[in-house]
Short mmCIF file of all heavy atoms in Angstrom, two decimals:
data_model
loop_
_atom_site.label_atom_id
_atom_site.label_comp_id
_atom_site.label_asym_id
_atom_site.label_seq_id
_atom_site.Cartn_x
_atom_site.Cartn_y
_atom_site.Cartn_z
N ASN A 631 -9.18 -54.33 -21.15
CA ASN A 631 -7.86 -54.91 -21.45
C ASN A 631 -7.10 -53.77 -22.09
O ASN A 631 -7.09 -53.61 -23.30
CB ASN A 631 -8.02 -56.11 -22.44
CG ASN A 631 -6.74 -56.90 -22.58
OD1 ASN A 631 -5.64 -56.39 -22.23
ND2 ASN A 631 -6.89 -58.12 -23.02
N SER A 632 -6.40 -53.01 -21.23
CA SER A 632 -5.77 -51.79 -21.68
C SER A 632 -4.25 -51.78 -21.40
O SER A 632 -3.75 -52.46 -20.52
CB SER A 632 -6.46 -50.61 -20.91
OG SER A 632 -5.73 -49.45 -21.11
N SER A 633 -3.53 -51.02 -22.18
CA SER A 633 -2.12 -50.87 -21.97
C SER A 633 -1.75 -50.07 -20.73
O SER A 633 -0.60 -49.89 -20.39
CB SER A 633 -1.45 -50.20 -23.21
OG SER A 633 -1.99 -48.90 -23.42
N SER A 634 -2.76 -49.55 -20.00
CA SER A 634 -2.49 -48.83 -18.78
C SER A 634 -1.83 -49.71 -17.72
O SER A 634 -1.25 -49.16 -16.78
CB SER A 634 -3.78 -48.18 -18.21
OG SER A 634 -4.72 -49.17 -17.94
N VAL A 635 -1.99 -51.05 -17.87
CA VAL A 635 -1.38 -51.93 -16.88
C VAL A 635 0.13 -51.87 -16.88
O VAL A 635 0.78 -52.20 -15.93
CB VAL A 635 -1.86 -53.39 -17.06
CG1 VAL A 635 -3.36 -53.49 -16.83
CG2 VAL A 635 -1.46 -53.92 -18.40
N THR A 636 0.68 -51.50 -18.04
CA THR A 636 2.14 -51.42 -18.16
C THR A 636 2.78 -50.37 -17.21
O THR A 636 4.00 -50.47 -16.94
CB THR A 636 2.56 -51.13 -19.58
OG1 THR A 636 2.03 -49.88 -20.02
CG2 THR A 636 2.10 -52.22 -20.54
N ASN A 637 1.97 -49.43 -16.73
CA ASN A 637 2.49 -48.52 -15.76
C ASN A 637 2.92 -49.22 -14.49
O ASN A 637 4.01 -48.97 -13.95
CB ASN A 637 1.39 -47.49 -15.43
CG ASN A 637 1.95 -46.31 -14.64
OD1 ASN A 637 3.09 -45.99 -14.77
ND2 ASN A 637 1.12 -45.79 -13.76
N TYR A 638 2.13 -50.20 -14.05
CA TYR A 638 2.45 -50.96 -12.89
C TYR A 638 3.61 -51.95 -13.17
O TYR A 638 4.54 -52.12 -12.38
CB TYR A 638 1.30 -51.71 -12.32
CG TYR A 638 1.62 -52.65 -11.20
CD1 TYR A 638 2.06 -52.14 -9.92
CD2 TYR A 638 1.58 -54.01 -11.30
CE1 TYR A 638 2.42 -52.98 -8.90
CE2 TYR A 638 1.95 -54.84 -10.30
CZ TYR A 638 2.34 -54.38 -9.09
OH TYR A 638 2.73 -55.19 -8.08
N PHE A 639 3.56 -52.61 -14.33
CA PHE A 639 4.62 -53.55 -14.67
C PHE A 639 5.96 -52.85 -14.78
O PHE A 639 7.01 -53.44 -14.34
CB PHE A 639 4.30 -54.17 -16.04
CG PHE A 639 3.35 -55.34 -15.93
CD1 PHE A 639 1.99 -55.14 -15.63
CD2 PHE A 639 3.72 -56.67 -16.11
CE1 PHE A 639 1.13 -56.18 -15.57
CE2 PHE A 639 2.85 -57.73 -16.05
CZ PHE A 639 1.53 -57.51 -15.73
N SER A 640 6.02 -51.60 -15.31
CA SER A 640 7.25 -50.91 -15.41
C SER A 640 7.81 -50.56 -13.98
O SER A 640 9.01 -50.61 -13.77
CB SER A 640 7.07 -49.60 -16.22
OG SER A 640 6.66 -49.92 -17.56
N SER A 641 6.88 -50.24 -13.07
CA SER A 641 7.35 -49.83 -11.74
C SER A 641 7.90 -51.07 -11.04
O SER A 641 8.81 -50.96 -10.24
CB SER A 641 6.12 -49.30 -10.91
OG SER A 641 5.15 -50.29 -10.68
N VAL A 642 7.38 -52.26 -11.32
CA VAL A 642 7.89 -53.51 -10.76
C VAL A 642 9.29 -53.72 -11.24
O VAL A 642 10.22 -54.04 -10.49
CB VAL A 642 6.98 -54.71 -11.07
CG1 VAL A 642 7.66 -56.00 -10.67
CG2 VAL A 642 5.62 -54.57 -10.34
N LEU A 643 9.51 -53.57 -12.57
CA LEU A 643 10.88 -53.73 -13.13
C LEU A 643 11.82 -52.70 -12.53
O LEU A 643 12.94 -53.07 -12.18
CB LEU A 643 10.78 -53.67 -14.63
CG LEU A 643 10.18 -54.73 -15.42
CD1 LEU A 643 10.26 -54.50 -16.92
CD2 LEU A 643 10.85 -56.11 -15.05
N GLN A 644 11.37 -51.45 -12.40
CA GLN A 644 12.26 -50.39 -11.93
C GLN A 644 12.60 -50.65 -10.45
O GLN A 644 13.71 -50.25 -10.00
CB GLN A 644 11.55 -49.06 -12.08
CG GLN A 644 11.40 -48.64 -13.55
CD GLN A 644 10.50 -47.38 -13.66
OE1 GLN A 644 10.08 -46.80 -12.72
NE2 GLN A 644 10.27 -46.99 -14.89
N GLY A 645 11.72 -51.27 -9.71
CA GLY A 645 12.02 -51.56 -8.30
C GLY A 645 12.88 -52.82 -8.12
O GLY A 645 13.74 -52.87 -7.24
N ALA A 646 12.66 -53.85 -8.96
CA ALA A 646 13.31 -55.09 -8.76
C ALA A 646 14.71 -55.15 -9.44
O ALA A 646 15.66 -55.80 -8.91
CB ALA A 646 12.49 -56.24 -9.34
N ALA A 647 14.90 -54.43 -10.56
CA ALA A 647 16.20 -54.56 -11.31
C ALA A 647 17.36 -53.97 -10.54
O ALA A 647 18.43 -54.70 -10.46
CB ALA A 647 16.03 -53.79 -12.66
N PRO A 648 17.31 -52.82 -9.91
CA PRO A 648 18.48 -52.38 -9.10
C PRO A 648 18.79 -53.32 -7.95
O PRO A 648 20.02 -53.53 -7.70
CB PRO A 648 18.01 -50.97 -8.63
CG PRO A 648 16.94 -50.55 -9.54
CD PRO A 648 16.24 -51.77 -9.93
N MET A 649 17.78 -53.79 -7.31
CA MET A 649 18.09 -54.79 -6.20
C MET A 649 18.73 -56.05 -6.73
O MET A 649 19.65 -56.55 -6.12
CB MET A 649 16.75 -55.11 -5.54
CG MET A 649 16.07 -53.93 -4.82
SD MET A 649 14.41 -54.28 -4.27
CE MET A 649 14.66 -55.74 -3.22
N TYR A 650 18.24 -56.53 -7.88
CA TYR A 650 18.83 -57.81 -8.44
C TYR A 650 20.27 -57.53 -8.88
O TYR A 650 21.15 -58.43 -8.74
CB TYR A 650 17.98 -58.25 -9.59
CG TYR A 650 18.43 -59.51 -10.23
CD1 TYR A 650 18.28 -60.70 -9.55
CD2 TYR A 650 19.02 -59.46 -11.48
CE1 TYR A 650 18.69 -61.93 -10.13
CE2 TYR A 650 19.45 -60.67 -12.06
CZ TYR A 650 19.27 -61.90 -11.39
OH TYR A 650 19.73 -63.06 -11.94
N GLN A 651 20.54 -56.40 -9.46
CA GLN A 651 21.90 -56.12 -9.94
C GLN A 651 22.91 -56.07 -8.74
O GLN A 651 24.05 -56.46 -8.86
CB GLN A 651 21.94 -54.78 -10.71
CG GLN A 651 21.19 -54.81 -12.01
CD GLN A 651 21.15 -53.51 -12.69
OE1 GLN A 651 21.62 -52.47 -12.14
NE2 GLN A 651 20.58 -53.40 -13.89
N GLU A 652 22.45 -55.62 -7.61
CA GLU A 652 23.27 -55.60 -6.39
C GLU A 652 23.14 -56.90 -5.58
O GLU A 652 23.79 -56.98 -4.51
CB GLU A 652 22.86 -54.43 -5.52
CG GLU A 652 23.03 -53.09 -6.20
CD GLU A 652 24.52 -52.77 -6.52
OE1 GLU A 652 25.36 -53.27 -5.82
OE2 GLU A 652 24.77 -52.04 -7.45
N ARG A 653 22.33 -57.86 -6.10
CA ARG A 653 22.13 -59.12 -5.43
C ARG A 653 21.58 -58.93 -4.02
O ARG A 653 21.89 -59.70 -3.10
CB ARG A 653 23.42 -59.97 -5.41
CG ARG A 653 23.96 -60.35 -6.73
CD ARG A 653 25.07 -61.39 -6.59
NE ARG A 653 24.68 -62.61 -5.89
CZ ARG A 653 23.97 -63.60 -6.45
NH1 ARG A 653 23.67 -63.55 -7.72
NH2 ARG A 653 23.69 -64.67 -5.77
N ALA A 654 20.77 -57.96 -3.87
CA ALA A 654 20.15 -57.64 -2.57
C ALA A 654 19.06 -58.67 -2.27
O ALA A 654 18.18 -58.89 -3.09
CB ALA A 654 19.54 -56.22 -2.54
N TYR A 655 19.15 -59.24 -1.07
CA TYR A 655 18.15 -60.18 -0.55
C TYR A 655 18.04 -61.50 -1.35
O TYR A 655 17.16 -62.32 -1.02
CB TYR A 655 16.74 -59.56 -0.48
CG TYR A 655 16.64 -58.25 0.22
CD1 TYR A 655 16.39 -57.06 -0.44
CD2 TYR A 655 16.88 -58.18 1.61
CE1 TYR A 655 16.29 -55.84 0.22
CE2 TYR A 655 16.73 -56.99 2.28
CZ TYR A 655 16.48 -55.82 1.55
OH TYR A 655 16.37 -54.64 2.24
N LEU A 656 18.89 -61.72 -2.34
CA LEU A 656 18.78 -62.89 -3.12
C LEU A 656 19.02 -64.19 -2.29
O LEU A 656 18.45 -65.25 -2.57
CB LEU A 656 19.79 -62.91 -4.27
CG LEU A 656 19.47 -61.94 -5.39
CD1 LEU A 656 20.45 -62.09 -6.54
CD2 LEU A 656 18.01 -62.14 -5.91
N HIS A 657 19.84 -64.11 -1.25
CA HIS A 657 20.11 -65.30 -0.41
C HIS A 657 18.84 -65.77 0.27
O HIS A 657 18.75 -66.96 0.58
CB HIS A 657 21.23 -64.97 0.60
CG HIS A 657 20.81 -63.87 1.60
ND1 HIS A 657 20.80 -62.57 1.20
CD2 HIS A 657 20.45 -63.95 2.90
CE1 HIS A 657 20.45 -61.81 2.26
NE2 HIS A 657 20.23 -62.59 3.28
N TRP A 658 17.90 -64.89 0.51
CA TRP A 658 16.68 -65.35 1.16
C TRP A 658 15.82 -66.25 0.19
O TRP A 658 15.13 -67.10 0.65
CB TRP A 658 15.84 -64.14 1.50
CG TRP A 658 16.35 -63.34 2.68
CD1 TRP A 658 17.51 -63.63 3.37
CD2 TRP A 658 15.81 -62.20 3.32
NE1 TRP A 658 17.69 -62.67 4.39
CE2 TRP A 658 16.71 -61.79 4.33
CE3 TRP A 658 14.71 -61.40 3.04
CZ2 TRP A 658 16.45 -60.66 5.14
CZ3 TRP A 658 14.45 -60.28 3.83
CH2 TRP A 658 15.30 -59.91 4.84
N TYR A 659 15.98 -65.99 -1.08
CA TYR A 659 15.33 -66.83 -2.08
C TYR A 659 16.05 -68.09 -2.42
O TYR A 659 15.52 -69.19 -2.63
CB TYR A 659 15.00 -66.04 -3.33
CG TYR A 659 14.04 -64.90 -3.17
CD1 TYR A 659 14.39 -63.69 -2.57
CD2 TYR A 659 12.69 -65.06 -3.57
CE1 TYR A 659 13.47 -62.66 -2.34
CE2 TYR A 659 11.76 -64.06 -3.38
CZ TYR A 659 12.19 -62.88 -2.79
OH TYR A 659 11.27 -61.88 -2.54
N GLU A 660 17.43 -67.99 -2.48
CA GLU A 660 18.30 -69.12 -2.78
C GLU A 660 18.15 -70.18 -1.68
O GLU A 660 18.34 -71.35 -1.90
CB GLU A 660 19.70 -68.67 -2.96
CG GLU A 660 19.88 -67.77 -4.23
CD GLU A 660 21.30 -67.18 -4.31
OE1 GLU A 660 21.97 -67.23 -3.23
OE2 GLU A 660 21.62 -66.58 -5.32
N LYS A 661 17.82 -69.74 -0.49
CA LYS A 661 17.70 -70.61 0.66
C LYS A 661 16.60 -71.67 0.38
O LYS A 661 16.74 -72.84 0.86
CB LYS A 661 17.38 -69.85 1.88
CG LYS A 661 17.08 -70.66 3.13
CD LYS A 661 16.76 -69.79 4.34
CE LYS A 661 16.49 -70.61 5.59
NZ LYS A 661 16.15 -69.71 6.74
N TYR A 662 15.60 -71.33 -0.41
CA TYR A 662 14.50 -72.24 -0.69
C TYR A 662 14.54 -72.74 -2.16
O TYR A 662 13.50 -73.15 -2.70
CB TYR A 662 13.16 -71.52 -0.38
CG TYR A 662 13.01 -71.08 1.03
CD1 TYR A 662 13.23 -69.74 1.34
CD2 TYR A 662 12.67 -72.02 2.01
CE1 TYR A 662 13.13 -69.39 2.67
CE2 TYR A 662 12.55 -71.59 3.32
CZ TYR A 662 12.77 -70.27 3.67
OH TYR A 662 12.67 -69.85 4.96
N GLY A 663 15.67 -72.71 -2.78
CA GLY A 663 15.82 -73.26 -4.10
C GLY A 663 15.43 -72.37 -5.23
O GLY A 663 15.20 -72.88 -6.35
N CYS A 664 15.28 -71.11 -4.98
CA CYS A 664 14.91 -70.18 -6.05
C CYS A 664 16.14 -69.45 -6.50
O CYS A 664 16.55 -68.42 -5.83
CB CYS A 664 13.81 -69.17 -5.55
SG CYS A 664 13.32 -67.94 -6.72
N GLY A 665 16.81 -69.91 -7.57
CA GLY A 665 18.04 -69.29 -8.05
C GLY A 665 17.83 -68.19 -9.05
O GLY A 665 16.75 -67.69 -9.23
N THR A 666 18.89 -67.83 -9.67
CA THR A 666 18.88 -66.67 -10.63
C THR A 666 17.99 -66.95 -11.81
O THR A 666 17.46 -66.06 -12.48
CB THR A 666 20.28 -66.30 -11.05
OG1 THR A 666 20.91 -67.50 -11.72
CG2 THR A 666 21.17 -65.88 -9.89
N CYS A 667 17.84 -68.28 -12.19
CA CYS A 667 17.06 -68.55 -13.33
C CYS A 667 15.61 -68.15 -13.22
O CYS A 667 14.91 -67.75 -14.07
CB CYS A 667 17.15 -70.09 -13.69
SG CYS A 667 16.53 -71.18 -12.34
N PHE A 668 15.12 -68.24 -11.90
CA PHE A 668 13.72 -67.76 -11.65
C PHE A 668 13.56 -66.30 -11.93
O PHE A 668 12.59 -65.83 -12.55
CB PHE A 668 13.38 -68.11 -10.21
CG PHE A 668 13.03 -69.54 -9.98
CD1 PHE A 668 14.04 -70.49 -9.75
CD2 PHE A 668 11.69 -69.98 -9.89
CE1 PHE A 668 13.74 -71.78 -9.46
CE2 PHE A 668 11.41 -71.30 -9.64
CZ PHE A 668 12.42 -72.24 -9.42
N PHE A 669 14.55 -65.53 -11.50
CA PHE A 669 14.48 -64.06 -11.71
C PHE A 669 14.68 -63.69 -13.12
O PHE A 669 14.00 -62.81 -13.62
CB PHE A 669 15.51 -63.38 -10.76
CG PHE A 669 15.20 -63.41 -9.31
CD1 PHE A 669 15.73 -64.46 -8.49
CD2 PHE A 669 14.39 -62.48 -8.71
CE1 PHE A 669 15.41 -64.43 -7.17
CE2 PHE A 669 14.10 -62.48 -7.41
CZ PHE A 669 14.58 -63.47 -6.64
N GLU A 670 15.59 -64.35 -13.82
CA GLU A 670 15.81 -64.05 -15.25
C GLU A 670 14.53 -64.29 -16.07
O GLU A 670 14.17 -63.50 -16.93
CB GLU A 670 16.98 -64.87 -15.78
CG GLU A 670 18.32 -64.58 -15.16
CD GLU A 670 18.82 -63.18 -15.50
OE1 GLU A 670 18.34 -62.58 -16.45
OE2 GLU A 670 19.67 -62.62 -14.72
N GLU A 671 13.87 -65.43 -15.77
CA GLU A 671 12.61 -65.75 -16.47
C GLU A 671 11.56 -64.77 -16.07
O GLU A 671 10.69 -64.41 -16.87
CB GLU A 671 12.19 -67.17 -16.12
CG GLU A 671 13.09 -68.21 -16.70
CD GLU A 671 12.63 -69.62 -16.26
OE1 GLU A 671 11.65 -69.73 -15.56
OE2 GLU A 671 13.31 -70.61 -16.70
N GLY A 672 11.56 -64.33 -14.81
CA GLY A 672 10.57 -63.30 -14.37
C GLY A 672 10.75 -61.98 -15.03
O GLY A 672 9.73 -61.39 -15.53
N PHE A 673 11.94 -61.51 -15.13
CA PHE A 673 12.22 -60.25 -15.86
C PHE A 673 11.87 -60.31 -17.29
O PHE A 673 11.29 -59.43 -17.90
CB PHE A 673 13.72 -59.91 -15.73
CG PHE A 673 14.10 -59.26 -14.45
CD1 PHE A 673 14.94 -59.93 -13.52
CD2 PHE A 673 13.63 -58.02 -14.06
CE1 PHE A 673 15.31 -59.38 -12.31
CE2 PHE A 673 13.99 -57.46 -12.82
CZ PHE A 673 14.81 -58.14 -11.95
N ALA A 674 12.16 -61.43 -17.95
CA ALA A 674 11.81 -61.63 -19.33
C ALA A 674 10.34 -61.69 -19.52
O ALA A 674 9.81 -61.11 -20.49
CB ALA A 674 12.50 -62.90 -19.88
N ALA A 675 9.57 -62.38 -18.69
CA ALA A 675 8.12 -62.46 -18.82
C ALA A 675 7.46 -61.12 -18.67
O ALA A 675 6.57 -60.75 -19.43
CB ALA A 675 7.63 -63.52 -17.81
#
Side-chain angles (χ1 to χ4, degrees):
N631 193 341
S632 169
S633 62
S634 60
V635 298
T636 58
N637 191 32
Y638 174 68
F639 278 73
S640 298
S641 67
V642 171
L643 289 182
Q644 294 171 3
M649 296 170 56
Y650 181 73
Q651 292 175 359
E652 299 296 332
R653 298 190 57 82
Y655 306 113
L656 289 184
H657 61 285
W658 290 359
Y659 292 81
E660 294 171 349
K661 177 181 178 181
Y662 301 101
C664 179
T666 57
C667 61
F668 283 81
F669 288 93
E670 295 294 338
E671 293 177 359
F673 281 113

